[in-house]
Amino acid sequence: MFKVNRILIADDEALEREGLEFILNKYLPGQYKIFHAKNGREAIEQAEENQPDIVLMDIKMPGIQGLDALKRIREMNPKTKMVVITAYDYFSYAKEAVPIGIKEYILKPAKREQVVSLLQRLTKELDEEKEKTRESLKMQEKLTELMPLVESEMAMMIMVDQVQELNLVRLAELSQFQIETGYCLVLALPINSLNKDKRKLYEAAKNFMKTNVSCVAGPMIGNQIVFFPAVDRTKQGYSLRIDAIELAQKLSDYMQDRFRLEVSIGIGSIQTKLEGLRQSYQEAIHALGEKNININIRHYEDILMNPSWDGFKSMDINEIISSFRQMFDRLKQDSDSDLKSCRDAVVGLLAIISRYFRQFGIHLEEGTIVAADFQELQEIAEKRLQMMIHTILQHKGNKAMDVMERARKFIQEHYREDLSMEQTAEHVNLSPYYFSKIFKSENGKTFTDYLTDIRIQKAKELMAEMTISLKEVCYEVGYKDPNYFSRVFKRVTGMTPTDYRQQLSTFL
């Protein structure tokens, strides 16, 4: 049974209101809770307070006219059934109700048969609409309960090449997830954490991701949870990479704060459609498995922009091939010995290497690989890699291609400016998070300390020119505040700029 319907009777004549109420109570007893309004203003107030299911409105009233009141009520509750009450002399006004969706009317004096018949029909419509709403809510509730299963199935379809893309598109429609452009993020929990409540860990990570980004959440497989976040396609590639790493950092911090867990996260590149997202998954798994880099958040493109293969720095072909063979074994294992998945990952790896060197004007051969088995796939890939290396070696200025060397050169060229680590990281196409750790590892100091050392060294050289004031020296080496420059100089050298110059003068 539905709840009693609410009905508002709005008429400036009390006798008319009471007459309609009498008909309702006598011929439709117990079906309505009735409210009265003697003018348009009261009708609007009553409608706002009591949310009537049906409104019977006199068209001619003092103050706010009936049609104006109906328009306001329609705006507040579009589903309210509205009936115009009009005397025959004003029947032409009732036509004005049609544009605002009011098609029912009662002529004064109201006849019992007309009122009863009309309200029975409107009540039946209300009941049918409420039944549809209730069924729709039940269906929505069932879909909500099934949504995690739909998402898990979507994620598995992306991860494993076993279904047609059309099925994935259909699931994407059901889950209302636009899967055209996105990437893969794989969260790896410490093995020793699995003795805890796995469901609690999974739900916490999933809820965090759902709160922060639109994404498909895969199932928890072993100690790994896979996510496919959507991206803002109005942004550029580098900024999207930074967004992905920042999201991963927030997720890592969240798991640390809530569960005291040191997690690892692998991130794939931005891709489109099924094959692209599958490649991003393979990249994320590869980044996650990169043990040579002591960083818990690893983006695939960061790793390839600054390869952990030391052979790339010296262009030692034997070392590069040896490293590739280790990677190939991991890719084969990660693909569960599926030839097509492994081939796609290898092609993606070679393509990213090619894109990396293209920024230096070196154009390397790309293309698909056709192989009958894993051995042939490895042989073809190694030959192509060797050809790439030979092409690179023929190109002049190989030293400039080292990422850290290019970073140091950039700092040398721009130390006079308001230079930031983020600007330098972007110049060498690494994320700031990754760049800061790699920079300190390879240079033995942080970016800020490295930049400070260069500026102070340049300041010392300029101070030897006695004609240049200390204030000029300050500005020339990238500082805007002479007092701050003096403090930094003393911290690094143990003396103020003035003392240093005086010391210099005794030797000149």
Side-chain angles (χ1 to χ4, degrees):
M1 289 291 294
F2 292 113
K3 63 181 180 180
V4 174
N5 289 309
R6 298 179 298 276
I7 189 166
L8 171 63
I9 303 174
D11 197 308
D12 59 330
E13 298 180 19
L15 190 60
E16 289 291 338
R17 298 197 304 273
E18 293 167 1
L20 286 169
E21 182 172 359
F22 174 80
I23 293 173
L24 295 176
N25 289 333
K26 182 174 181 179
Y27 296 100
L28 301 168
Q31 293 190 34
Y32 303 102
K33 184 174 182 179
I34 303 171
F35 304 94
H36 287 236
K38 63 177 179 293
N39 55 50
R41 178 182 57 78
E42 284 189 10
I44 295 170
E45 292 172 352
Q46 287 276 14
E48 186 173 12
E49 180 180 353
N50 297 301
Q51 297 293 305
D53 301 293
I54 300 174
V55 175
L56 306 178
M57 179 78 71
D58 185 10
I59 210 168
K60 294 292 289 182
M61 288 189 294
I64 299 176
Q65 294 293 303
L67 289 179
D68 294 330
L70 287 173
K71 288 179 184 178
R72 295 279 296 277
I73 295 171
R74 172 69 77 196
E75 292 171 359
M76 287 188 288
N77 190 350
K79 295 183 178 181
T80 299
K81 303 292 182 182
M82 297 184 174
V83 180
V84 168
I85 303 173
T86 178
Y88 183 79
D89 293 342
Y90 299 108
F91 183 69
S92 60
Y93 286 99
K95 297 178 182 178
E96 298 178 29
V98 174
I100 59 174
I102 303 169
K103 301 176 183 178
E104 310 292 350
Y105 66 91
I106 294 174
L107 281 175
K108 289 184 179 181
K111 295 182 179 180
R112 172 179 58 81
E113 296 83 359
Q114 182 187 11
V115 173
V116 171
S117 174
L118 176 59
L119 290 179
Q120 284 178 330
R121 178 163 55 81
L122 294 180
T123 299
K124 183 179 179 182
E125 290 179 9
L126 283 169
D127 290 345
E128 291 173 350
E129 290 171 4
K130 289 175 182 177
E131 177 65 24
K132 287 181 180 178
T133 300
R134 187 170 68 171
E135 290 299 320
S136 176
L137 289 173
K138 286 171 64 177
M139 181 62 69
Q140 186 177 349
E141 185 178 13
K142 289 179 180 178
L143 283 174
T144 301
E145 293 173 354
L146 290 172
M147 201 56 64
L149 296 177
V150 172
E151 283 196 56
S152 292
E153 183 65 18
M154 283 181 65
M156 292 302 295
M157 285 181 179
I158 296 171
M159 294 156 60
V160 183
D161 186 11
Q162 61 181 13
V163 294
Q164 296 297 318
E165 186 169 359
L166 180 61
N167 294 338
L168 183 65
V169 172
R170 181 62 184 136
L171 285 177
E173 291 173 353
L174 286 174
S175 65
Q176 298 181 337
F177 179 80
Q178 299 300 317
I179 204 162
E180 289 185 3
T181 306
Y183 63 94
C184 181
L185 182 152
V186 180
L187 170 69
L189 300 168
I191 298 298
N192 60 11
S193 72
L194 299 184
N195 56 3
K196 298 183 180 182
D197 187 345
K198 292 176 65 174
R199 170 57 59 181
K200 186 176 181 180
L201 295 174
Y202 173 74
E203 290 297 335
K206 178 180 175 180
N207 290 338
F208 176 88
M209 289 292 290
K210 291 285 186 181
T211 301
N212 285 274
V213 68
S214 173
C215 69
V216 166
M220 187 172 184
I221 302 176
N223 69 322
Q224 295 180 355
I225 308 172
V226 179
F227 298 99
F228 291 95
V231 299
D232 182 355
R233 287 180 290 177
T234 62
K235 289 189 174 183
Q236 298 300 313
Y238 182 79
S239 62
L240 288 173
R241 193 195 324 172
I242 304 307
D243 288 347
I245 292 172
E246 289 178 349
L247 175 64
Q249 184 64 63
K250 290 178 182 177
L251 175 59
S252 175
D253 293 342
Y254 172 76
M255 298 302 286
Q256 171 66 38
D257 293 342
R258 181 167 179 183
F259 301 106
R260 297 293 181 265
L261 294 179
E262 294 285 349
V263 302
S264 297
I265 298 175
I267 307 170
S269 60
I270 306 296
Q271 297 288 343
T272 59
K273 298 186 179 179
L274 175 58
E275 289 301 325
L277 290 173
R278 184 172 295 132
Q279 177 183 330
S280 185
Y281 164 68
Q282 293 161 354
E283 293 172 352
I285 291 295
H286 170 73
L288 193 61
E290 185 56 68
K291 303 301 184 184
N292 295 329
I293 302 175
N294 188 26
I295 300 174
N296 73 317
I297 298 173
R298 307 166 200 147
H299 196 291
Y300 188 67
E301 292 184 348
D302 275 338
I303 293 172
L304 288 169
M305 289 301 102
N306 186 45
S308 59
W309 310 356
D310 290 333
F312 261 118
K313 296 181 181 180
S314 61
M315 296 311 296
D316 185 324
I317 190 166
N318 292 325
E319 194 171 352
I320 292 173
I321 294 298
S322 176
S323 295
F324 173 77
R325 287 172 180 169
Q326 294 176 20
M327 284 190 177
F328 184 85
D329 290 340
R330 284 203 302 270
L331 292 174
K332 182 179 178 181
Q333 183 180 359
D334 293 341
S335 64
D336 294 327
S337 296
D338 180 75
L339 181 61
K340 182 177 183 301
S341 297
C342 186
R343 183 204 66 196
D344 292 344
V346 169
V347 170
L349 173 63
L350 296 176
I352 290 180
I353 294 173
S354 176
R355 289 199 297 271
Y356 169 62
F357 285 105
R358 192 178 302 156
Q359 65 185 305
F360 306 107
I362 304 174
H363 297 279
L364 305 174
E365 180 185 353
E366 292 187 47
T368 58
I369 295 177
V370 179
D373 52 37
F374 284 101
Q375 182 177 350
E376 185 179 7
L377 172 61
Q378 182 174 346
E379 291 173 355
I380 294 173
E382 287 184 12
K383 287 180 181 178
R384 186 168 296 179
L385 187 56
Q386 289 173 347
M387 291 176 61
M388 286 181 168
I389 296 166
H390 287 309
T391 303
I392 295 165
L393 288 173
Q394 291 172 6
H395 192 276
K396 295 180 180 180
N398 287 327
K399 185 179 179 182
M401 288 182 290
D402 177 70
V403 172
M404 285 301 110
E405 182 64 29
R406 290 193 295 119
R408 289 187 286 267
K409 182 179 179 182
F410 185 75
I411 296 170
Q412 287 282 355
E413 293 173 349
H414 297 275
Y415 71 89
R416 297 179 183 86
E417 304 167 13
D418 187 15
L419 183 63
S420 69
M421 183 193 70
E422 289 74 16
Q423 288 173 307
T424 310
E426 185 172 3
H427 175 73
V428 296
N429 200 19
L430 292 177
S431 68
Y433 174 85
Y434 188 89
F435 175 82
S436 65
K437 295 182 181 294
I438 295 298
F439 189 93
K440 184 176 182 181
S441 174
E442 298 207 8
N443 294 283
K445 58 185 69 177
T446 65
F447 171 87
T448 301
D449 289 342
Y450 186 89
L451 175 60
T452 298
D453 286 351
I454 288 177
R455 286 173 167 171
I456 298 304
Q457 183 58 40
K458 296 294 182 182
K460 288 179 178 180
E461 294 172 8
L462 290 172
M463 286 181 192
E465 298 289 335
M466 294 300 176
T467 57
I468 303 177
S469 71
L470 292 178
K471 182 178 289 188
E472 288 175 314
V473 171
C474 164
Y475 296 140
E476 184 64 24
V477 297
Y479 292 103
K480 298 179 179 179
D481 182 353
N483 291 326
Y484 179 70
F485 165 65
S486 180
R487 291 197 299 271
V488 172
F489 190 93
K490 185 175 181 180
R491 174 171 57 82
V492 174
T493 66
M495 61 182 71
T496 66
T498 302
D499 292 340
Y500 182 80
R501 172 163 273 182
Q502 287 176 350
Q503 187 183 74
L504 278 179
S505 65
T506 63
F507 296 101
L508 296 177

